[in-house]
Amino acid sequence: MESINHPLSELFEQLGLDASHDGIEQFIASHTLPAELELANAPFWSPAQANFLKEGWQSDSDWAEVIDQLNVSLR
């Protein structure tokens, strides 16, 4: 089975966010998380977004790698 590597722009599309290069940069610049807060528990996610991030991470889905990338970018 071949794994799928999603780019960060696809994750932003999946989350219903501006997936343009500028939109991604602006989101990351304006949303900083403390190290102890799990990504899915951030206050700026809707319940559906938080659930997608949590399930994608916990199930080690094909989204897990790009979710981790977003997590690191927000620290």
Side-chain angles (χ1 to χ4, degrees):
M1 188 163 102
E2 187 176 324
S3 68
I4 300 170
N5 292 323
H6 297 283
L8 195 54
S9 60
E10 275 187 27
L11 178 60
F12 272 65
E13 288 174 2
Q14 189 71 23
L15 294 170
L17 301 172
D18 181 353
S20 69
H21 179 75
D22 289 341
I24 292 170
E25 283 189 353
Q26 184 178 25
F27 183 89
I28 290 171
S30 62
H31 295 86
T32 304
L33 296 177
E36 66 277 358
L37 183 63
E38 289 186 27
L39 177 64
N41 294 334
F44 46 80
W45 301 125
S46 71
Q49 290 170 322
N51 188 54
F52 177 80
L53 293 167
K54 184 176 183 175
E55 288 192 9
W57 177 257
Q58 288 179 342
S59 68
D60 197 27
S61 74
D62 58 319
W63 290 100
E65 187 174 325
V66 72
I67 290 170
D68 186 49
Q69 179 185 352
L70 176 60
N71 185 42
V72 170
S73 296
L74 294 174
R75 306 301 166 158

Coordinates of all heavy atoms in Angstrom, one line a residue:
M1 N 0.8 -1.2 0.0 CA 0.0 0.0 0.0 C 0.9 1.2 0.0 O 1.8 1.4 0.8 CB -0.9 0.0 1.2 CG -1.9 1.1 1.2 SD -3.3 0.7 2.4 CE -2.8 1.8 3.7
E2 N 0.6 2.2 -0.9 CA 1.3 3.4 -1.0 C 0.8 4.5 0.0 O -0.4 4.7 0.1 CB 1.2 3.9 -2.4 CG 2.1 5.0 -2.7 CD 2.0 5.4 -4.2 OE1 1.9 4.6 -5.0 OE2 2.1 6.6 -4.5
S3 N 1.7 5.1 0.7 CA 1.3 6.2 1.6 C 1.1 7.5 0.8 O 1.8 7.7 -0.2 CB 2.3 6.4 2.7 OG 3.5 6.9 2.2
I4 N 0.2 8.3 1.3 CA 0.0 9.6 0.6 C 0.6 10.7 1.4 O 0.4 10.8 2.6 CB -1.6 9.8 0.5 CG1 -2.2 8.7 -0.4 CG2 -1.9 11.2 -0.1 CD1 -3.7 8.7 -0.4
N5 N 1.3 11.6 0.8 CA 1.9 12.7 1.5 C 1.1 14.0 1.1 O 1.2 14.4 -0.1 CB 3.4 12.9 1.2 CG 4.2 11.8 1.7 OD1 3.9 11.3 2.8 ND2 5.2 11.4 1.0
H6 N 0.4 14.5 2.0 CA -0.4 15.7 1.7 C 0.4 16.9 2.0 O 1.1 17.0 3.0 CB -1.7 15.8 2.6 CG -2.6 14.6 2.4 ND1 -3.5 14.6 1.3 CD2 -2.8 13.5 3.1 CE1 -4.2 13.5 1.4 NE2 -3.8 12.8 2.5
P7 N 0.4 17.9 1.1 CA 1.0 19.2 1.4 C 0.2 20.0 2.4 O -1.0 19.8 2.6 CB 1.1 19.9 0.1 CG 0.0 19.3 -0.7 CD -0.2 17.9 -0.2
L8 N 0.9 20.9 3.1 CA 0.2 21.8 4.1 C -1.0 22.5 3.5 O -2.0 22.6 4.1 CB 1.2 22.8 4.6 CG 0.9 23.5 5.9 CD1 0.5 22.5 7.0 CD2 2.0 24.4 6.3
S9 N -0.9 22.9 2.2 CA -2.1 23.6 1.6 C -3.3 22.7 1.5 O -4.4 23.1 1.7 CB -1.7 24.0 0.2 OG -1.4 23.0 -0.7
E10 N -3.2 21.4 1.3 CA -4.3 20.4 1.3 C -4.9 20.3 2.7 O -6.1 20.2 2.9 CB -3.9 19.1 0.8 CG -3.9 18.9 -0.6 CD -3.7 17.5 -1.1 OE1 -4.0 16.5 -0.3 OE2 -3.2 17.3 -2.2
L11 N -4.0 20.3 3.8 CA -4.6 20.3 5.1 C -5.4 21.5 5.4 O -6.5 21.5 6.0 CB -3.4 20.1 6.1 CG -3.8 20.1 7.6 CD1 -4.8 19.0 7.9 CD2 -2.6 20.1 8.5
F12 N -4.9 22.7 5.0 CA -5.6 23.9 5.2 C -7.0 23.9 4.4 O -8.0 24.3 5.0 CB -4.8 25.1 4.8 CG -3.9 25.7 5.9 CD1 -2.9 24.9 6.4 CD2 -4.2 26.9 6.4 CE1 -2.1 25.4 7.5 CE2 -3.4 27.4 7.5 CZ -2.4 26.6 8.0
E13 N -7.0 23.3 3.2 CA -8.2 23.2 2.5 C -9.2 22.3 3.3 O -10.4 22.5 3.4 CB -8.0 22.6 1.1 CG -7.3 23.6 0.2 CD -6.9 23.0 -1.2 OE1 -7.2 21.8 -1.4 OE2 -6.4 23.7 -2.0
Q14 N -8.7 21.2 3.8 CA -9.5 20.2 4.5 C -10.1 20.8 5.8 O -11.2 20.5 6.1 CB -8.6 19.0 4.9 CG -9.3 17.8 5.5 CD -10.2 17.1 4.5 OE1 -10.0 17.1 3.3 NE2 -11.2 16.4 5.0
L15 N -9.3 21.8 6.4 CA -9.8 22.5 7.6 C -10.7 23.7 7.2 O -11.2 24.3 8.1 CB -8.6 22.9 8.4 CG -7.8 21.8 9.0 CD1 -6.5 22.3 9.6 CD2 -8.6 21.0 10.0
G16 N -10.9 24.0 6.0 CA -11.7 25.1 5.6 C -11.0 26.4 5.8 O -11.7 27.5 5.9
L17 N -9.7 26.4 5.7 CA -8.9 27.7 5.9 C -8.3 28.1 4.6 O -8.3 27.4 3.6 CB -7.8 27.4 6.9 CG -8.2 26.9 8.3 CD1 -6.9 26.5 9.1 CD2 -8.9 28.0 9.0
D18 N -7.9 29.4 4.6 CA -7.2 29.9 3.4 C -5.9 29.1 3.1 O -5.0 29.1 3.9 CB -6.9 31.4 3.6 CG -6.2 32.1 2.4 OD1 -5.9 31.4 1.4 OD2 -6.0 33.3 2.5
A19 N -5.9 28.4 2.0 CA -4.8 27.5 1.7 C -3.8 28.1 0.8 O -2.8 27.5 0.3 CB -5.4 26.2 1.0
S20 N -3.9 29.4 0.5 CA -2.9 30.1 -0.3 C -1.6 30.2 0.5 O -1.6 30.1 1.8 CB -3.3 31.5 -0.7 OG -3.4 32.4 0.4
H21 N -0.5 30.4 -0.1 CA 0.8 30.6 0.6 C 0.7 31.7 1.6 O 1.1 31.5 2.8 CB 1.9 30.9 -0.5 CG 3.3 31.0 0.2 ND1 4.0 30.0 0.7 CD2 4.0 32.2 0.4 CE1 5.1 30.4 1.2 NE2 5.2 31.8 1.0
D22 N 0.2 32.8 1.2 CA 0.1 34.0 2.1 C -0.9 33.6 3.3 O -0.6 34.0 4.4 CB -0.4 35.2 1.4 CG 0.7 35.8 0.5 OD1 1.8 35.5 0.7 OD2 0.3 36.6 -0.4
G23 N -2.0 33.0 3.0 CA -3.0 32.6 4.0 C -2.4 31.7 5.0 O -2.6 31.8 6.2
I24 N -1.6 30.7 4.6 CA -0.9 29.8 5.5 C 0.1 30.5 6.4 O 0.1 30.3 7.6 CB -0.2 28.6 4.7 CG1 -1.3 27.7 4.1 CG2 0.7 27.8 5.6 CD1 -0.8 26.7 3.1
E25 N 0.9 31.4 5.8 CA 1.9 32.1 6.5 C 1.2 33.0 7.6 O 1.7 33.1 8.7 CB 2.8 32.9 5.6 CG 3.8 32.1 4.9 CD 4.8 33.0 4.1 OE1 4.6 34.2 4.0 OE2 5.8 32.4 3.6
Q26 N 0.2 33.7 7.2 CA -0.5 34.6 8.1 C -1.2 33.8 9.2 O -1.1 34.2 10.4 CB -1.6 35.4 7.3 CG -2.3 36.4 8.2 CD -3.4 37.2 7.5 OE1 -3.9 36.7 6.4 NE2 -3.6 38.4 8.0
F27 N -1.8 32.6 9.0 CA -2.3 31.8 10.0 C -1.3 31.4 11.0 O -1.5 31.5 12.2 CB -3.0 30.6 9.4 CG -3.7 29.7 10.4 CD1 -5.0 30.0 10.8 CD2 -3.0 28.7 11.1 CE1 -5.7 29.2 11.8 CE2 -3.7 27.9 12.0 CZ -5.0 28.2 12.4
I28 N -0.2 30.9 10.5 CA 0.9 30.4 11.4 C 1.5 31.6 12.2 O 1.7 31.4 13.4 CB 2.0 29.7 10.6 CG1 1.4 28.4 10.1 CG2 3.3 29.5 11.4 CD1 2.3 27.6 9.1
A29 N 1.6 32.7 11.6 CA 2.2 33.9 12.3 C 1.3 34.4 13.4 O 1.7 34.9 14.4 CB 2.5 35.0 11.3
S30 N 0.0 34.2 13.2 CA -1.0 34.8 14.2 C -1.5 33.7 15.2 O -2.4 34.1 16.0 CB -2.1 35.4 13.5 OG -2.9 34.5 12.7
H31 N -1.1 32.5 15.1 CA -1.6 31.4 16.0 C -0.4 30.7 16.6 O 0.1 29.7 16.0 CB -2.5 30.5 15.3 CG -3.8 31.1 14.8 ND1 -3.8 31.7 13.6 CD2 -5.0 31.2 15.4 CE1 -5.1 32.1 13.4 NE2 -5.8 31.8 14.5
T32 N 0.1 31.1 17.8 CA 1.2 30.5 18.4 C 0.7 29.7 19.6 O -0.2 30.2 20.4 CB 2.2 31.5 18.9 OG1 2.6 32.3 17.8 CG2 3.4 30.8 19.5
L33 N 1.1 28.4 19.7 CA 0.7 27.6 20.8 C 1.8 27.3 21.8 O 2.9 27.1 21.4 CB 0.2 26.2 20.3 CG -1.0 26.2 19.3 CD1 -1.2 24.8 18.8 CD2 -2.2 26.8 20.1
P34 N 1.4 27.3 23.1 CA 2.4 26.8 24.1 C 2.7 25.4 24.0 O 1.9 24.6 23.5 CB 1.7 27.1 25.5 CG 0.3 27.2 25.2 CD 0.2 27.6 23.7
A35 N 3.9 25.0 24.3 CA 4.4 23.6 24.2 C 3.5 22.5 24.8 O 3.3 21.4 24.3 CB 5.8 23.4 24.7
E36 N 2.9 22.9 25.9 CA 2.1 21.9 26.7 C 0.6 21.7 26.1 O -0.1 20.8 26.5 CB 2.0 22.3 28.2 CG 1.2 23.5 28.5 CD 2.0 24.8 28.3 OE1 3.2 24.8 28.0 OE2 1.5 25.9 28.6
L37 N 0.2 22.6 25.2 CA -1.2 22.5 24.6 C -1.1 21.6 23.4 O -0.4 21.9 22.4 CB -1.7 23.9 24.3 CG -3.1 23.9 23.8 CD1 -4.1 23.5 24.8 CD2 -3.4 25.4 23.3
E38 N -2.0 20.6 23.4 CA -2.1 19.7 22.2 C -2.7 20.5 21.1 O -3.6 21.3 21.3 CB -2.9 18.5 22.5 CG -2.2 17.5 23.4 CD -3.0 16.2 23.6 OE1 -3.8 15.9 22.7 OE2 -2.9 15.6 24.6
L39 N -2.3 20.2 19.9 CA -2.7 21.0 18.7 C -4.3 20.9 18.6 O -4.9 22.0 18.4 CB -2.1 20.4 17.4 CG -2.6 21.0 16.1 CD1 -2.2 22.4 16.0 CD2 -2.1 20.2 14.9
A40 N -4.9 19.8 18.8 CA -6.3 19.7 18.6 C -7.1 20.4 19.7 O -8.3 20.7 19.5 CB -6.7 18.2 18.6
N41 N -6.4 20.7 20.8 CA -7.1 21.5 21.9 C -7.0 23.0 21.8 O -7.4 23.7 22.7 CB -6.6 21.0 23.2 CG -6.9 19.5 23.5 OD1 -7.9 19.0 23.0 ND2 -6.1 18.9 24.3
A42 N -6.4 23.5 20.8 CA -6.2 24.9 20.6 C -7.6 25.6 20.5 O -8.5 25.0 19.9 CB -5.4 25.2 19.4
P43 N -7.7 26.7 21.1 CA -9.0 27.4 21.2 C -9.6 27.9 19.9 O -10.8 28.2 19.8 CB -8.8 28.5 22.2 CG -7.4 28.8 22.1 CD -6.7 27.5 21.9
F44 N -8.7 28.0 18.9 CA -9.2 28.6 17.6 C -9.8 27.6 16.6 O -10.2 28.0 15.6 CB -8.0 29.4 16.9 CG -6.7 28.7 16.9 CD1 -6.4 27.7 15.9 CD2 -5.7 29.0 17.8 CE1 -5.2 27.1 15.9 CE2 -4.5 28.4 17.8 CZ -4.2 27.4 16.8
W45 N -9.8 26.3 17.0 CA -10.4 25.3 16.1 C -11.9 25.2 16.3 O -12.3 25.2 17.5 CB -9.8 23.9 16.2 CG -8.3 23.8 16.0 CD1 -7.4 23.3 16.9 CD2 -7.6 24.2 14.8 NE1 -6.1 23.4 16.3 CE2 -6.2 23.9 15.1 CE3 -7.9 24.7 13.6 CZ2 -5.2 24.1 14.1 CZ3 -6.9 24.9 12.6 CH2 -5.6 24.7 12.9
S46 N -12.6 24.9 15.3 CA -14.0 24.5 15.5 C -14.0 23.1 16.0 O -13.0 22.4 15.9 CB -14.8 24.6 14.2 OG -14.4 23.6 13.3
P47 N -15.1 22.6 16.5 CA -15.2 21.2 17.0 C -14.9 20.2 15.8 O -14.2 19.2 16.0 CB -16.6 21.0 17.5 CG -17.0 22.4 18.0 CD -16.4 23.3 17.0
A48 N -15.3 20.5 14.6 CA -15.1 19.6 13.5 C -13.6 19.6 13.1 O -13.0 18.6 12.8 CB -15.9 20.0 12.3
Q49 N -13.0 20.8 13.1 CA -11.5 20.9 12.8 C -10.7 20.2 13.9 O -9.8 19.4 13.6 CB -11.1 22.4 12.8 CG -11.6 23.1 11.6 CD -11.3 24.6 11.7 OE1 -11.4 25.2 12.8 NE2 -11.0 25.2 10.6
A50 N -11.0 20.4 15.1 CA -10.3 19.7 16.2 C -10.4 18.2 16.2 O -9.5 17.5 16.3 CB -10.8 20.2 17.6
N51 N -11.6 17.7 15.8 CA -11.9 16.3 15.7 C -11.0 15.7 14.6 O -10.4 14.7 14.7 CB -13.3 16.0 15.5 CG -13.6 14.5 15.6 OD1 -13.3 13.9 16.5 ND2 -14.3 14.0 14.6
F52 N -11.0 16.4 13.4 CA -10.2 15.9 12.3 C -8.7 15.8 12.7 O -8.1 14.8 12.4 CB -10.4 16.9 11.1 CG -9.6 16.5 9.9 CD1 -10.0 15.5 9.0 CD2 -8.4 17.1 9.7 CE1 -9.2 15.1 8.0 CE2 -7.6 16.8 8.6 CZ -8.0 15.8 7.7
L53 N -8.2 16.9 13.3 CA -6.8 16.9 13.7 C -6.5 15.8 14.7 O -5.5 15.0 14.6 CB -6.4 18.2 14.3 CG -6.4 19.4 13.3 CD1 -6.3 20.7 14.0 CD2 -5.3 19.2 12.2
K54 N -7.4 15.6 15.7 CA -7.1 14.6 16.7 C -7.2 13.2 16.1 O -6.3 12.4 16.4 CB -8.2 14.8 17.8 CG -8.0 13.8 19.0 CD -9.0 14.2 20.1 CE -8.8 13.3 21.3 NZ -9.7 13.6 22.4
E55 N -8.2 12.9 15.4 CA -8.4 11.6 14.8 C -7.3 11.3 13.8 O -6.8 10.2 13.7 CB -9.8 11.4 14.2 CG -10.8 11.3 15.2 CD -12.2 10.8 14.7 OE1 -12.2 10.5 13.5 OE2 -13.1 10.9 15.4
G56 N -6.9 12.3 12.9 CA -5.9 12.1 12.0 C -4.5 11.8 12.6 O -3.8 10.9 12.1
W57 N -4.3 12.4 13.7 CA -3.0 12.2 14.5 C -3.1 10.8 15.2 O -2.1 10.0 15.1 CB -2.8 13.3 15.5 CG -1.6 13.2 16.3 CD1 -1.6 12.8 17.6 CD2 -0.3 13.4 15.9 NE1 -0.3 12.7 18.0 CE2 0.6 13.1 17.0 CE3 0.4 13.8 14.7 CZ2 1.9 13.2 17.0 CZ3 1.7 13.9 14.7 CH2 2.5 13.6 15.8
Q58 N -4.1 10.6 15.9 CA -4.2 9.4 16.8 C -4.3 8.1 15.9 O -3.7 7.1 16.3 CB -5.4 9.4 17.7 CG -5.2 10.4 18.8 CD -6.4 10.5 19.7 OE1 -7.5 10.1 19.4 NE2 -6.2 11.0 20.9
S59 N -4.9 8.2 14.8 CA -5.0 7.0 13.9 C -3.8 6.8 13.0 O -3.8 5.8 12.2 CB -6.3 7.0 13.1 OG -6.3 8.0 12.2
D60 N -2.9 7.7 13.1 CA -1.7 7.7 12.2 C -2.1 7.6 10.7 O -1.6 6.8 10.0 CB -0.8 6.6 12.6 CG 0.6 6.8 12.0 OD1 1.0 7.9 11.8 OD2 1.3 5.8 11.8
S61 N -3.1 8.4 10.4 CA -3.7 8.4 9.0 C -2.7 9.0 8.1 O -1.6 9.5 8.5 CB -5.0 9.2 9.0 OG -4.7 10.5 9.1
D62 N -3.0 9.0 6.8 CA -2.1 9.7 5.8 C -2.0 11.2 6.0 O -1.2 11.8 5.4 CB -2.5 9.3 4.4 CG -4.0 9.7 4.1 OD1 -4.9 9.5 4.9 OD2 -4.2 10.2 2.9
W63 N -2.8 11.7 6.9 CA -2.8 13.1 7.3 C -1.8 13.4 8.4 O -1.4 14.6 8.7 CB -4.1 13.7 7.7 CG -5.1 13.8 6.5 CD1 -6.1 12.9 6.2 CD2 -5.2 14.8 5.5 NE1 -6.8 13.3 5.1 CE2 -6.2 14.5 4.7 CE3 -4.4 16.0 5.3 CZ2 -6.5 15.3 3.6 CZ3 -4.8 16.8 4.2 CH2 -5.8 16.4 3.4
A64 N -1.4 12.4 9.1 CA -0.6 12.5 10.4 C 0.7 13.3 10.1 O 1.1 14.2 11.0 CB -0.3 11.2 11.0
E65 N 1.4 13.1 9.1 CA 2.7 13.8 8.8 C 2.5 15.3 8.7 O 3.2 16.1 9.2 CB 3.4 13.2 7.6 CG 4.8 13.7 7.4 CD 5.5 13.1 6.2 OE1 5.3 11.9 6.0 OE2 6.3 13.8 5.6
V66 N 1.5 15.7 7.9 CA 1.2 17.1 7.7 C 0.6 17.7 8.9 O 0.8 18.9 9.2 CB 0.5 17.4 6.4 CG1 -1.0 17.0 6.5 CG2 0.6 18.8 5.9
I67 N -0.2 17.0 9.7 CA -0.7 17.5 11.0 C 0.5 17.8 11.9 O 0.5 18.8 12.6 CB -1.7 16.5 11.6 CG1 -3.0 16.5 10.8 CG2 -2.0 16.9 13.0 CD1 -4.0 15.4 11.1
D68 N 1.5 16.9 11.9 CA 2.7 17.1 12.7 C 3.4 18.3 12.2 O 3.9 19.1 13.0 CB 3.5 15.9 12.7 CG 4.7 16.0 13.6 OD1 4.5 16.3 14.8 OD2 5.9 15.7 13.2
Q69 N 3.5 18.5 10.9 CA 4.2 19.7 10.4 C 3.5 21.0 10.9 O 4.2 21.9 11.2 CB 4.2 19.6 8.9 CG 4.8 20.8 8.2 CD 4.7 20.7 6.7 OE1 4.2 19.7 6.1 NE2 5.1 21.8 6.0
L70 N 2.2 21.0 10.8 CA 1.4 22.2 11.3 C 1.7 22.4 12.8 O 1.9 23.5 13.3 CB -0.1 22.0 11.1 CG -1.0 23.1 11.6 CD1 -0.6 24.5 11.0 CD2 -2.4 22.8 11.4
N71 N 1.7 21.3 13.6 CA 1.9 21.4 15.0 C 3.3 22.0 15.3 O 3.4 22.9 16.1 CB 1.8 20.0 15.6 CG 1.9 20.0 17.1 OD1 1.4 20.8 17.8 ND2 2.7 19.0 17.6
V72 N 4.3 21.6 14.6 CA 5.6 22.1 14.8 C 5.7 23.6 14.4 O 6.3 24.4 15.1 CB 6.7 21.3 14.0 CG1 8.0 22.0 14.0 CG2 6.8 19.9 14.6
S73 N 5.0 23.9 13.3 CA 5.0 25.3 12.8 C 4.3 26.3 13.7 O 4.6 27.5 13.7 CB 4.3 25.4 11.4 OG 5.0 24.6 10.5
L74 N 3.4 25.8 14.6 CA 2.7 26.7 15.5 C 3.4 26.8 16.8 O 2.8 27.5 17.7 CB 1.2 26.2 15.7 CG 0.3 26.2 14.4 CD1 -1.0 25.6 14.7 CD2 0.1 27.7 14.0
R75 N 4.5 26.3 17.0 CA 5.3 26.4 18.2 C 6.3 27.4 18.2 O 6.9 27.7 17.2 CB 5.9 25.0 18.6 CG 5.0 23.8 18.7 CD 3.9 24.0 19.6 NE 2.8 23.1 19.4 CZ 2.0 22.7 20.3 NH1 2.0 23.2 21.5 NH2 1.0 21.8 20.1

